[in-house]
Amino acid sequence: MKQFDYVIVGGGTAGCLLANRLSADSQNEVLLLEAGGNDRYLWIHVPVGYLYTMNNPRTDWCMKTAPEPGLNGRSLNYPRGRVIGGSSAINGMIYMRGQAADYDDWAAQGNSGWSWEEVLPYFLRHEDHGFLQNQWHAQGGEWRIEHQRLSWEILGAFQNAAAERGIPPTDDFNTGDNEGCGYFHVNQRNGVRVSAAKAFLHPVKKRPNLTVLLDAEVTDLGFVGNVASSVSFVHQGSPETVQVGGEVVIAAGAVHSPLLLQRAGIGDPADLKDLNISLRQALPGVGKNLQDHLQLRTVFRVKNTKTLNEKANRLLGRLAMGMEYVLSRRGPLSMAPSQLGCFAKSSSDQARANLEYHVQPLSTEKLGDPLHPFPAITASVCNLRPESRGYVRLSEPDNSSAPVIVPNYLSAPQDRLVAADAIRLTRSIMSAPALERYCPEELLPGPDRQSDEALSEAAGQIGTTIFHPVGTCRMGTADDASAVVDARLRVHGLERLRVVDASVMPNITSGNTSSPTLMIAEKASALILEDQAARGQVAD
């Protein structure tokens, strides 16, 4: 069996950066395993193509949640990227770090080295900001950030309306305090998506010490005592095993990383017993602590302006959009799913912004439906720091069955209260003078919903995931019974095994989670190489 120094499981957002950094030293033999295929697919690269990559087995695992009581019994599609680049190849491309207090909270829980001041250099290390260079932003890295290449009158009016309700305009959400309203910066280059594969993997894939295998689904981890020593996988239908001389790094994401640990006998003893899996390491927190941002899709019909609805519903409009993109890489086809962002407090007793809006110049009755035939906007709003906690676990010991995903949305009373307050704030913004000339008419959830109870029920009807699952292999100290990895992201009780992806977040960040995941991978790669050097010194 061939031996590698590092085997990275998962070629997604974190895995692509890890492969780049760990293979930079030509002495390190690195293997990257990705269960999905290549990214030679048009709709990955055209920004509006996210509509065709989600729920598409070419690029998505096509998973679903269990029926959710908090969503009135609905089951949601749960998109996760199954392609090189992972979810960064199908996501909304929004560049967002979260709030400084998020990371300070991680550090306060005993996770040394993860405060805002300590993680900021790792954000900057790979940043290539198209128009900012200051104490908060850097240029020259791999992760390209640009302005969006279109504008809509109605979104500018929403920004003005937010200001009239006390939410100030901002041109940068990434300085540590993201309260305000402004246009999202996006991971694009000249109107084309930049995924983690494009940024970090493709430029170095010809390194002789880096092996990338696609269509390679990991089935098991091997150990000698408590030391990770091998990885078994099925590559293009054939079973294979490789030896590991350095470390196994699991970067399969907040759903698949805990599933892989469970399959290897690492997890809650009760869960493993139910699955008839032999216990290797008791870690009750594996798969627990699932957190996600639930967006409430409020929709308002408008007048006296144009939205994407009218353009997309006319053949000539679609042809014009296509020509504009082909000729200039501008227009609606260059559009991220959301253009305007807004971070606000749901009530005056909130110490910092706890809501995020994704405002779109389009509308549907529900996700996946055709656009409405009349002008309208969607002001989706999510609770940035939900108290509800869910879980993921295997449904069967092998890979053949879909996992059990139970987010438990709106199960915490505080989350239901925040949801009601969020809808009220949205109504307040939409009734501000700046939007008066557009005559906004509430379609969803409907103006008849007024009480806390009615609005909480409405939130269950219009709520859907915004695709930010985290926390299922949470970072924490050895005396924290629910922690899975330590502050260096090493799995508790085992050696040469780490988890490096969004699953290690103790608490969800206050914003979109793709770039925080890259920061985690950047910091983890430095920790891994530090430990490699320390092992070498001991050997000498």
Side-chain angles (χ1 to χ4, degrees):
M1 289 184 287
K2 186 166 183 179
Q3 177 166 308
F4 291 87
D5 296 296
Y6 297 103
V7 176
I8 302 165
V9 180
T13 304
C16 288
L17 187 147
L18 286 163
N20 180 304
R21 301 299 190 248
L22 297 182
S23 65
D25 183 343
S26 61
Q27 299 302 306
N28 290 333
E29 288 288 336
V30 178
L31 172 63
L32 176 65
L33 300 172
E34 166 54 40
N38 64 60
D39 59 359
R40 295 191 294 273
Y41 182 55
L42 173 67
W43 292 121
I44 289 175
H45 309 290
V46 177
V48 80
Y50 72 91
L51 293 168
Y52 308 105
T53 57
M54 293 184 182
N55 307 314
N56 177 349
R58 168 70 175 78
T59 49
D60 182 6
W61 284 92
C62 299
M63 298 180 291
K64 289 181 175 292
T65 70
E68 284 283 296
L71 303 185
N72 305 327
R74 290 186 297 127
S75 176
L76 299 181
N77 292 328
Y78 216 63
R80 295 284 88 200
R82 187 178 188 176
V83 63
I84 196 68
S87 293
S88 74
I90 69 171
N91 70 3
M93 296 161 282
I94 292 170
Y95 181 72
M96 188 66 58
R97 295 172 180 169
Q99 298 170 3
D102 299 331
Y103 304 99
D104 291 342
D105 181 55
W106 292 7
Q109 295 178 51
N111 298 301
S112 177
W114 291 92
S115 70
W116 169 252
E117 183 178 351
E118 291 167 306
V119 303
L120 181 58
Y122 295 102
F123 280 110
L124 298 176
R125 186 170 294 182
H126 54 253
E127 186 176 82
D128 182 24
H129 210 291
F131 49 92
L132 291 174
Q133 189 170 20
N134 51 39
Q135 62 178 320
W136 308 116
H137 294 289
Q139 296 178 343
E142 299 96 337
W143 198 228
R144 183 67 176 175
I145 303 159
E146 294 186 352
H147 283 305
Q148 297 183 71
R149 297 164 67 85
L150 75 169
S151 62
W152 298 88
E153 177 189 41
I154 190 67
L155 298 186
F158 186 99
Q159 184 182 30
N160 293 336
E164 291 172 344
R165 295 302 189 231
I167 306 167
T170 183
D171 57 6
D172 188 0
F173 289 122
N174 290 294
T175 63
D177 178 5
N178 54 18
E179 186 167 4
C181 187
Y183 289 89
F184 288 124
H185 300 166
V186 291
N187 296 118
Q188 293 181 8
R189 185 181 298 276
N190 298 326
V192 178
R193 175 192 293 274
V194 175
S195 70
K198 275 188 180 179
F200 300 101
L201 187 64
H202 293 337
V204 302
K205 63 185 178 183
K206 292 186 179 179
R207 287 176 179 169
N209 61 322
L210 174 61
T211 302
V212 179
L213 297 183
L214 305 181
D215 190 18
E217 190 165 354
V218 172
T219 55
D220 202 7
L221 306 177
F223 292 82
V224 175
N226 67 343
V227 179
S229 60
S230 65
V231 177
S232 297
F233 56 95
V234 176
H235 178 224
Q236 297 179 347
S238 299
E240 298 185 32
T241 298
V242 294
Q243 296 294 321
V244 183
E247 294 191 20
V248 176
V249 185
I250 301 175
V255 174
H256 286 97
S257 287
L259 299 182
L260 180 56
L261 292 179
Q262 291 169 355
R263 198 173 297 121
I266 304 163
D268 187 330
D271 290 345
L272 299 180
K273 183 178 180 181
D274 289 344
L275 292 162
N276 294 316
I277 295 175
S278 298
L279 178 67
R280 175 174 298 280
Q281 179 69 26
L283 289 173
V286 172
K288 309 299 196 303
N289 193 47
L290 174 62
Q291 300 158 60
D292 190 14
H293 289 142
L294 180 75
Q295 64 171 343
L296 310 181
R297 296 182 59 256
T298 68
V299 175
F300 292 80
R301 186 170 183 163
V302 295
K303 297 179 180 179
N304 306 317
T305 190
K306 292 182 179 180
T307 69
L308 185 61
N309 288 4
E310 308 91 273
K311 285 190 175 184
N313 279 317
R314 292 186 299 108
L315 176 59
L316 288 178
R318 293 194 295 272
L319 290 173
M321 290 190 296
M323 288 301 298
E324 184 178 12
Y325 186 76
V326 169
L327 295 174
S328 67
R329 295 292 185 267
R330 295 182 180 274
L333 269 67
S334 72
M335 197 167 78
S338 301
Q339 295 76 57
L340 187 75
C342 180
F343 289 81
K345 297 171 183 174
S346 63
S347 64
S348 59
D349 60 356
Q350 294 290 332
R352 53 193 171 107
N354 67 319
L355 299 178
E356 178 182 8
Y357 284 86
H358 293 76
V359 190
Q360 306 160 316
L362 54 86
S363 67
T364 63
E365 198 64 24
K366 64 179 184 296
L367 287 180
D369 281 4
L371 297 179
H372 286 135
F374 46 76
I377 68 168
T378 300
S380 293
V381 57
C382 73
N383 179 356
L384 287 169
R385 293 182 294 280
E387 294 184 1
S388 300
R389 296 291 183 271
Y391 63 88
V392 299
R393 63 172 173 80
L394 293 169
S395 57
E396 301 289 344
D398 58 20
N399 287 354
S400 60
S401 300
V404 177
I405 304 173
V406 182
N408 284 327
Y409 295 119
L410 299 175
S411 59
Q414 178 64 19
D415 292 354
R416 295 194 293 274
L417 178 60
V418 170
D421 287 342
I423 294 172
R424 290 192 180 100
L425 177 60
T426 308
R427 289 170 171 171
S428 175
I429 294 171
M430 293 303 299
S431 66
L435 284 165
E436 185 175 0
R437 71 177 297 267
Y438 304 103
C439 307
E441 174 190 351
E442 182 178 332
L443 300 182
L444 291 175
D448 56 316
R449 311 292 185 97
Q450 294 292 332
S451 68
D452 283 353
E453 183 178 358
L455 289 174
S456 294
E457 182 183 1
Q461 291 177 349
I462 63 174
T464 187
T465 176
I466 206 164
F467 323 122
H468 297 164
V470 308
T472 50
C473 296
R474 68 179 297 269
M475 182 183 356
T477 56
D479 59 358
D480 181 346
S482 64
V484 177
V485 299
D486 66 12
R488 299 182 75 82
L489 309 188
R490 300 170 298 196
V491 175
H492 285 299
L494 299 169
E495 296 182 21
R496 310 287 180 93
L497 179 63
R498 293 188 210 233
V499 180
V500 180
D501 54 36
S503 70
V504 306
M505 295 184 187
N507 295 318
I508 196 166
T509 53
S510 299
N512 309 72
T513 54
S514 180
S515 290
T517 301
L518 280 178
M519 178 278 293
I520 290 169
E522 189 77 80
K523 181 174 172 65
S525 65
L527 296 173
I528 291 167
L529 294 173
E530 284 177 11
D531 288 354
Q532 178 189 38
R535 288 196 299 270
Q537 291 172 0
V538 171
D540 292 343

